[in-house]
Amino acid sequence: MKLSERVTDLPESGIREFFELAEARDDVISLGVGEPDFSAPWAARTAAIDSLERGRTSYTSNRGIRELREAIADHHHRYDQSYDPGEEILVTTGASEAVDLALRALVDPGDVVAIHEPTYISYGPGVELAGGEPLSVPTRAADDFALTRERLEAADAGSADTLVLCYPNNPTGAVMTADQLAAVAAFCREHDVQVIADEIYAALTYGRDHESIATQPGMRERTVVVNGFSKAYAMTGLRLGYALGPAAAIDAMNRIHQYTMLSAPTTAQYAALEGLRSCDEEVADMVSEYDRRRRFVHSRFQEMGLDCFEPRGAFYAFPDCGGDDERFAEELLESQGVAVVPGSVFGAGGEGHLRVSYATSMRELKRATDRIETFLAERRQAP
C-alpha cells in the first residue's frame, strides 16, 4: 500500500528505540520510563469498578461528563485559573489527545510552531501531522532550562504562529517562575503568538506552587491549557486528559474530537471524578515521596561529580554526562544494567545530558545510583 509522506517521514521514538535494547537484558534497573510507580488511589479505582457494576458503559457527552468538567473547573481554581465547564473544558483520551487536538485546531498547513527544547518528543511530530512547521527554540542548562525571551528572539520565534510550552518540563524537571513567564507572555503578546501550554505535571512541583502562563495578563484568551490524570493520579493506563481554553478553541477541538474519539473512556471519567473529589491526600503523599526521591537522586549525582541542576518539577533529573550522551547511556546499560534516556532524543539543548526518572522505589534508586557511581569510577580510571 502507498503510505502518506507525513507518516513515512516521521522518526521512530528515540525513547522506545533505546528501551528495546534494555528489554533484551536481564537485571536492568530502568530509570527511563515516564510513568508513576504507584497505583491510582483506591477510591478512584473503586469508583471505576462501581461504574462498571452499574452498567455505565455507554458513550458520554462528547465534551465529557458534566460533573467531571465541573470538578475540573473547581480543581483549577488552585492555579488561579477559571474556566466555564460548559464551553471552556474538553475531556480527552489522555493529555496526548488534547495536545493533538489543539495542534490540529489551531495550526494551518505551513504555520510555524515554536517548540522549546529539550522537551517531550511528541510535539514536533504532532506539528508535522497537523501540517505545520516546527521551529526549535533551544534552552540552556545555564538558565536551568527555563525559556527566556532572549532564546525566543535568537530563534526568531516572533515569526511563529503558535508556541508549545511544557512546564514543569519533561525531560529536564525545570519549572518557570511567574516573572519568567511574564517575559514569555510579553513576547507572545507583542508578536501575536498563541500558546499550547502542556501542564500535565502541574501538581508535581517542589518547594513552590505551579505557575501557568494562562494567568498572565492578556494570555487566557490566547492559550489552551492541557492537563490530565496520568501523572499526579497515577492513571496512565486509564487514558484521561483534558483541555481548558477560550470557548472558540475548545469548540474547534471538540469538532475534531467528536469525529475521532466521540468521547473519552467512560469508566476512566468516573475514576477521575472520584479522584478530584476525594483523593487529594493520596496525591499529596505521592508528591511527598517524589520529593524525597528527587532530593536523594540530585544529592547522589552531586556527590559522584555528575553535574546536575536541581529539578523542581515532574519526576526527572537531567544530569550533564560530560560528552556523548547516547554512548554514555549505551555503555552504562551494557556495563551496569542501568537504563536511562539520552538527552539528545529530546531535541536541541539536550545533548550531553541524560533523562533520569525517579518514579521508582528508593531501593531501586539506591541500587541504580551506586551502579552509576561505579561506572563513572571505571570510566575515569580507563586509559
Side-chain angles (χ1 to χ4, degrees), residues 31 33 39 50 69 90 114-115 142 145 186 227 260 265 269 308 358:
L31 303 182
V33 179
S39 296
D50 181 68
R69 285 180 280 136
L90 172 65
I115 305 170
F145 294 104
N227 208 317
T260 55
Q269 291 190 57
C308 181
Y358 48 85

Side-chain angles (χ1 to χ4, degrees), residues 190-371:
E190 291 169 21
H191 295 279
D192 194 22
V193 178
Q194 56 196 1
V195 176
I196 299 170
D198 186 348
E199 300 181 2
I200 187 67
Y201 293 100
L204 304 184
T205 58
Y206 313 103
R208 66 185 67 186
D209 293 330
H210 171 66
E211 298 282 351
S212 173
I213 195 169
T215 63
Q216 291 290 322
M219 293 306 296
R220 186 189 186 280
E221 57 266 38
R222 64 172 64 244
T223 303
V224 170
V225 175
V226 172
N227 208 317
F229 298 89
S230 292
K231 310 301 182 180
Y233 291 86
M235 294 184 183
T236 53
L238 295 186
R239 307 311 305 131
L240 204 72
Y242 54 89
L244 313 99
I250 295 301
D251 180 67
M253 292 169 64
N254 186 48
R255 274 181 276 154
I256 303 168
H257 174 72
Q258 67 187 358
Y259 289 120
T260 55
M261 287 293 180
L262 295 179
S263 61
T266 301
T267 304
Q269 291 190 57
Y270 283 104
L273 176 58
E274 187 60 32
L276 290 173
R277 284 175 171 172
S278 67
C279 297
D280 278 358
E281 185 175 340
E282 289 89 339
V283 171
D285 288 343
M286 286 188 275
V287 173
S288 177
E289 177 60 17
Y290 287 137
D291 190 21
R292 185 169 78 102
R293 299 171 185 178
R294 175 188 71 92
R295 288 181 278 111
F296 170 77
V297 168
H298 179 253
S299 66
R300 285 291 286 125
F301 285 157
Q302 297 297 87
E303 289 169 4
M304 65 180 76
L306 203 58
D307 187 40
C308 181
F309 86 100
E310 183 177 2
R312 292 286 188 174
F315 38 59
Y316 309 105
F318 205 61
D320 185 338
C321 66
D324 186 333
D325 52 295
E326 290 192 16
R327 180 178 177 183
F328 187 104
E330 289 172 1
E331 291 181 354
L332 176 62
L333 178 61
E334 180 65 28
S335 172
Q336 298 294 327
V338 176
V340 297
V341 183
S344 56
V345 308
F346 300 99
E351 298 87 347
H353 290 78
L354 308 167
R355 190 187 79 168
V356 178
S357 170
Y358 48 85
T360 190
S361 69
M362 280 295 290
R363 176 178 177 274
E364 291 295 271
L365 288 173
K366 289 174 180 177
R367 291 177 63 213
T369 51
D370 285 347
R371 292 186 185 186

Side-chain angles (χ1 to χ4, degrees), residues 18-67:
F18 186 79
F19 277 96
E20 285 177 357
L21 297 174
E23 288 170 358
R25 288 179 51 98
D26 296 326
D27 190 33
V28 169
I29 303 174
S30 177
L31 303 182
V33 179
E35 179 173 34
D37 61 317
F38 300 101
S39 296
W42 180 249
R45 284 181 277 160
T46 300
I49 294 168
D50 181 68
S51 74
L52 291 172
E53 290 180 337
R54 292 174 180 271
R56 292 172 172 166
T57 56
S58 302
Y59 297 128
T60 69
S61 161
N62 292 140
R63 292 175 181 259
I65 297 168
R66 175 75 191 203
E67 295 91 335

